[in-house]
DNA sequence: CCAAAAGTGTTCGCATTACACCCATGC
DNA sequence: GCATGGGTGTAATGCGAACACTTTTGG
């Protein structure tokens, strides 16, 4: 259980969970409660157990930190610089997770998490992140690049949206992740032309003209040229 | 040194080295000489040492197996099913390497390698691979998908070509990797229009009309929409 | 003179872009 | 009635796809 700088590498997983909240892309951070880096912000993660796959470890770590289950998870990259973890030699397999905002975890939580490892959990806008522990700054940067690229040629936006949504909400997701504005007419033309959406023939009302609601025909990852 | 099925995972790297030979994409395979899988074909690879990064481990393993150095290497994916290695729990970080055919390693080598781990080294066409040890079939499949995708939006073909080459040779590389024929006129128009090549004002002679030679302006990875 | 590969332009259709006005509702 | 976001069409441009013949060399 003690530091082992020259020992064979241990294996961990770290998860960068993204969501779009108020039109801005956010990552889920945890505040470390123990060890040399106590008090620092980091991505949730931990050691891989002997009897679980990497994917299973990522899903477990995410569930332990947040209670979230059945989340879209995708392996990102493995980080293995010899000195990335002050505790000892740890190779970390990073994952990206995407969730729709508004279910559980709508708000930040200040208390100590159930497993006692974290002193708090918070969504932070990717435009204003604190310095992160380990090499998690690099992990987030790599995850962002992957996310931007992948949203352009897959239907993965569905992971960021509830079952019913308006075309404007869909457009907001793309704009938040890609970081640029899109023309509304061209966007609607393109998206509707792809046939990925099913009109629900219901509307969302607000203090303005009601907006038509849509759902995805298929809520599973597919390769589709979107933008 | 004994099997440790329930112990913490060990970390290894495996390298899928590709080249184009006679117009067909080939992978470099090694024949295992020791252990439960002796006699089987596999990708070169081995344990990550305590003081080296993952990239360094991949480069070292490749050099040990083949003598090749300064090769284009890129991390591919990490494979970590609990039972992928009969020896014990090993998480493998897979790499893709790309080299120009014709330097060293033009031909296969039958003898035992310098480090004694392999009973032979051979290029095999990806269209006709033997069943591989571990989960290396999946590794090769994943690597192929990555390679095909990445050649379309980067200038990485340069890794597969010598310093001087003809446009037909360049086209052959794309056709071998992508697995489909390309129109010669459109190909030349597109490639020359990108301005990535420098005409050498020399020709290659054969038993036919001489072909103009070109070189890449920059031999380093860049993002470029090629096809 | 024959085989083999190199070299060269044009046309067509489709997809992307740019762009401005009216509509329906809540307050 | 006014503020807020919803909804709609057209024209111009650029890009990729299809397509056939002539040229140069070696043998």
């Amino acid at each position: 259980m003690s530091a082992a700088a020259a020992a064979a590498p241990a294996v961990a997983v770290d998860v960068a969970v993204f969501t779009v909240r108020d039109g801005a892309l956010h990552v889920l951070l945890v505040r470390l409660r123990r060890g040399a880096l106590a008090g620092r912000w980091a991505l949730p993660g931990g050691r891989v157990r002997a009897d679980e796959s990497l994917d299973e470890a990522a899903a477990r770590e995410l569930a332990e930190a947040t209670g979230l289950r059945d989340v879209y998870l995708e392996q990102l990259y493995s980080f293995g610089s010899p000195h990335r973890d002050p505790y000892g030699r740890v190779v970390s397999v990073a994952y990206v997770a995407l969730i729709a905002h508004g279910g559980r975890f709508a708000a930040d939580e200040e208390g100590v998490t159930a497993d006692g490892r974290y002193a708090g959990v918070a969504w932070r806008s990717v435009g204003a992140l604190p310095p992160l522990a380990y090499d998690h700054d690099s992990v987030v940067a790599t995850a962002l690049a992957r996310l931007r690229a992948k949203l352009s040629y897959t239907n993965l936006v569905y992971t960021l949206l509830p079952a019913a949504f308006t075309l404007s909400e869909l457009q907001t997701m793309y704009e938040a992740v890609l970081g640029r504005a899109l023309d509304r007419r061209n966007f609607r033309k393109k998206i509707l032309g792809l046939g990925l959406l099913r009109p629900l023939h219901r509307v969302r009302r607000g203090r303005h003209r009601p907006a038509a609601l849509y759902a995805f025909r298929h809520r599973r990852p597919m390769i589709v040229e979107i933008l």
Side-chain angles (χ1 to χ4, degrees), chain A residues 22-109:
Chain A
D22 306 327
L25 188 60
H26 287 66
V27 211
L28 188 72
L29 299 183
V30 295
R31 192 188 280 273
L32 300 177
R33 187 156 167 263
R34 301 181 185 149
L37 296 169
R40 302 278 302 274
W41 290 100
L43 299 174
R47 296 298 171 91
V48 174
R49 297 186 182 155
D51 58 344
E52 66 187 356
S53 68
L54 298 172
D55 290 3
E56 288 163 357
R60 176 183 54 72
E61 288 289 343
L62 181 56
E64 287 178 4
T66 66
L68 294 167
R69 285 172 200 287
D70 296 322
V71 163
Y72 175 78
L73 259 180
E74 152 180 332
Q75 191 188 301
L76 174 66
Y77 197 82
S78 295
F79 295 82
S81 299
H83 306 296
R84 54 175 295 284
D85 188 329
Y87 176 83
R89 181 71 202 271
V90 180
V91 169
S92 167
V93 183
Y95 277 76
V96 172
L98 300 174
I99 67 172
H101 184 251
R104 282 147 309 193
F105 264 79
D108 300 350
E109 304 191 0

Side-chain angles (χ1 to χ4, degrees), chain A residues 133-204:
Chain A
Y134 312 110
D135 52 1
H136 287 185
D137 294 309
S138 310
V139 177
V140 171
T142 307
L144 273 175
R146 166 81 63 97
L147 189 52
R148 292 196 168 115
K150 206 143 185 183
L151 241 59
S152 302
Y153 68 90
T154 65
N155 67 341
L156 281 178
V157 232
Y158 81 83
T159 60
L160 298 169
L161 285 162
F165 52 88
T166 68
L167 287 184
S168 296
E169 289 166 348
L170 178 59
Q171 184 172 346
T172 298
M173 294 297 143
Y174 279 106
E175 291 179 334
V177 175
L178 301 180
R180 62 190 166 99
L182 301 171
D183 179 86
R184 190 162 75 246
R185 281 168 295 190
N186 294 337
F187 179 79
R188 300 166 81 95
K189 205 187 317 173
K190 185 69 196 283
I191 292 290
L192 292 176
L194 290 172
L196 302 174
L197 303 185
R198 184 163 47 90
L200 293 178
H201 306 296
R202 293 190 288 120
V203 293
R204 165 157 309 156

